[in-house]
Amino acid sequence: MKAETREVTISVNGQRMTRRTEVRTLLSDFLRHDLGLTGTHVGCEHGVCGACTVLVDGVPMRSCLALAVQADGRAVETVEGLAPEGELSEMQQAMRDEHGLQCGFCTPGILMSMLAAERAGVSCAEACGDVLGGHVCRCTGYQGIRAAVRRRWATLPAARGEETPA
Amino acid sequence: MKPAVFSYLDPRTLEEALDAVGEHGDDASVLAGGQSLVPLLNMRLARPEVVVDINRVPGLDTSRVEAGAVRVGALVRAATVEKDPALADALPVLADAVRHIAHPQIRNRTTIGGNVAHADPSSELPAVLAALDGAVVLRSTAGERTVGWEEFFVSVFTTAREPEELVTEVVFPVRPDLEFRWTEFARHHGDFPVAGICCGLDVEDGVVRAARLAATGVADRPVRLREAETALTDAALGAETARAVGELARRAVDPPSDVHGSGDFRRAVLATLVRRTIETWPDRSQRGRRGAAA
Ligand SMILES: Cc1cc2nc3c(=O)[nH]c(=O)nc-3n(C[C@@H](O)[C@H](O)[C@H](O)COP(=O)(O)OP(=O)(O)OC[C@H]3O[C@@H](n4cnc5c(N)ncnc54)[C@H](O)[C@@H]3O)c2cc1C
Ligand code: FES
Ligand code: FES
C-alpha cells in the first residue's frame, strides 16, 4: 500500500508551520523529524512515560498518541516555546535550582504538564501528585522535581501555593 | 515503533462517519481518544487498512442528565466527566471511577465511548455500567440499537458492536435510592486496577434494603456479584456481613493468572475490597432522619 500523505498546518509556539507528511506520522515525530523540534522527547510510544507531553490548544496530552493530521489547524506548545533562546522560564529555573533533573530526558514533558497545571490553577498537592504521576523519571527519585514544583507554586497566587505536600 | 501504513478518514458529520465504518467494516479502526488504539498501532498489534477519526464529528461530545439516566456522548472526554457539575450531582460515582483512569494527560483524551468500546477486562467504567445496569447505544447506517451491558461486553477486548456500528452514547441509569461508591486496588495510582468494585447500597437504620455489586479485573469482562447482592439484602451492616459477603465475592470468580498476579491474588484483592467497602459504609439514614426532625 502506498503511504498516504496530507498537508498539515500547525501553529507551533505561535509560528505557523506547514508540511506535507504521511497520515500515519505521530505528532511527536512530526515535531521532531518534520519540524526539527527535538525538545519533545520520545520514550515509550505507548503513553506511559510522559516524555512526549505537549499542549494542543492548551491541553496537555501525549504527542506519541496523536497523529500529526489530528493537530491540523490547532495550536501546539512545546518545550522550545517556554522561554526565549538562552533564558529559562520560572519553572525551568526552579527545576535547575532544586536539581529537578539529571539526564533531562523526562524534563520537557514535565515542564509542559506543569505549565498547563499552573494555568488551570491546580493546587501544589495535585501538581505534585496526579499531574507529576503522569511522568516517569528514571533519575531523580522525584524529590528534586517536587521541590521545584513547590518552589514555583510558592510564587503563584496564594490560593494555589498554600498546600505544600512533603 | 511506528504505525503501519493506513488510509485516514476524518468525517465531519455523523452520517459521513457511519458511511465510512459501513463501507470499510472490519478493515477500519475507529479513532476516538487514541489512548488505547494508538499504542496498538505503534506496536503494530493493530494494522487497520483505514483509520476513521471521529474527533471532528459534531454532536457526540455532550452529556445529558435525564429523568432516570445520565446519557454520555461517545466523544465526551474522561477529563470532562470529572469536572462536570451536573454529572457530579446526578451520579457522583462516575467521576470517582473516571479519576482512577491513568493521569490527567491521558484523561484529557480518553473518551467514554472509546473506553467502553475497548472493553479492557480491567477497566473501571464497564464495572460501573454493570452495577447500574447500564447500556450502550450503537448506530449504523441501518439504524440505532441500545444494548444492555451484559450483552455488550462479550470477552477481552470484544463487544457486541458490529464493525459497521459506532458507539454513540453510553447510558448510566440513575438509582436515587442507592448510594454508589468506586473502590479499587492498583499497584500505582493510575494503573489499571488488579481488581475494582462498584458497590451501591440503600441502607436504612443499619440494614441494607437493596444492593448492587459489580467488579472489574476478575474475569474476561465486568461481572455482577449477584450472590453477594442477595446476601447483602436485609443484612445488618457490620464486620460480620462484610466478611461473609467478601468471601462470597471471592468464591464467585475464577480469574486467570497473569503477569500482574495470580488468579488467587486477584480473588483475595476482590474479597478485601468488598469487605472493606462494606465495613466502612456510612449509614446516612440516621443522620438524614435526625436532620428531618430538627
Ligand atoms: C498510560 C495509560 C494508562 C491507562 N490506564 C487506564 C486505566 O487505569 N483504566 C482504564 O479504563 N483505561 C486506562 N487506559 C486506557 C484509556 O485511557 C483509553 O483511552 C480507553 O480505554 C480507550 O478510549 P479512547 O477514547 O482513547 O479510545 P481509542 O483508543 O481511540 O479506541 C479504543 C478502541 O475502541 C474503538 N472505539 C473508540 N471509540 C469508538 C466508538 N465511538 N465507536 C466504536 N468503536 C470505538 C476503537 O476502534 C479502538 O478499538 C490507559 C491508557 C494509557 C495510555
Ligand atoms: S513517548 Fe509518549 S508517553 Fe512515552
Ligand atoms: S532526569 Fe533522567 S529521567 Fe528524569
Side-chain angles (χ1 to χ4, degrees), chain B residues 95-281:
Chain B
D96 282 354
V98 159
R99 273 189 210 100
H100 287 82
I101 301 174
H103 296 282
Q105 303 87 345
I106 306 283
R107 295 199 293 272
N108 284 338
R109 294 300 291 166
T110 296
T111 67
I112 302 307
N115 188 275
V116 168
H118 191 56
D120 189 297
S122 295
S123 192
E124 285 85 358
L125 290 184
V128 175
L129 265 190
L132 294 166
D133 260 335
V136 178
V137 180
L138 296 167
R139 184 103 168 242
S140 72
T141 52
E144 186 180 277
R145 61 181 180 132
T146 300
V147 180
W149 72 273
E150 219 159 358
E151 191 188 333
F152 183 77
F153 295 107
V154 173
S155 179
V156 182
F157 305 137
T158 310
T159 69
R161 179 180 80 86
E162 297 293 340
E164 295 76 23
E165 289 176 314
L166 281 181
V167 171
T168 53
E169 234 178 8
V170 184
V171 186
F172 298 90
V174 174
R175 286 276 308 258
D177 52 327
L178 296 179
E179 182 187 340
F180 283 89
R181 303 192 146 198
W182 178 263
T183 322
E184 71 173 49
F185 173 75
R187 297 208 180 252
H188 312 96
H189 176 80
D191 283 3
F192 279 97
V194 171
I197 59 167
C198 184
C199 180
L201 298 183
D202 172 13
V203 179
E204 218 182 292
D205 298 327
V207 176
V208 178
R209 295 292 169 214
R212 288 285 179 86
L213 190 58
T216 191
V218 292
D220 59 354
R221 57 187 135 170
V223 288
R224 273 283 284 282
L225 301 165
R226 296 190 199 271
E227 273 182 58
E229 289 176 0
T230 308
L232 268 169
T233 310
D234 296 328
L237 275 185
E240 203 179 314
T241 302
R243 217 177 6 255
V245 174
E247 193 51 32
L248 278 175
R250 197 172 67 79
R251 274 190 259 136
V253 298
D254 187 14
S257 301
D258 60 27
V259 289
H260 303 293
S262 67
D264 281 343
F265 172 60
R266 284 185 190 274
R267 298 167 86 198
V269 169
L270 173 68
T272 304
L273 290 174
V274 170
R275 177 173 56 73
R276 282 191 195 154
T277 298
I278 293 167
E279 253 170 20
T280 58
W281 200 276

Side-chain angles (χ1 to χ4, degrees), chain A residues 62-80:
Chain A
R62 306 301 201 218
S63 60
C64 73
L65 299 187
L67 302 173
V69 286
Q70 293 188 284
D72 184 41
R74 306 197 186 274
V76 175
E77 292 170 81
T78 69
V79 70
E80 285 90 350

Side-chain angles (χ1 to χ4, degrees), chain A residues 30-86:
Chain A
F30 184 76
L31 294 168
R32 292 175 55 84
H33 302 165
D34 296 38
L35 300 181
L37 295 170
T38 53
T40 298
H41 290 170
V42 171
C44 67
E45 285 188 337
H46 58 272
V48 176
C49 76
C52 69
T53 304
V54 301
L55 310 190
V56 179
D57 287 345
V59 178
M61 64 181 68
R62 306 301 201 218
S63 60
C64 73
L65 299 187
L67 302 173
V69 286
Q70 293 188 284
D72 184 41
R74 306 197 186 274
V76 175
E77 292 170 81
T78 69
V79 70
E80 285 90 350
L82 287 181
E85 188 73 42

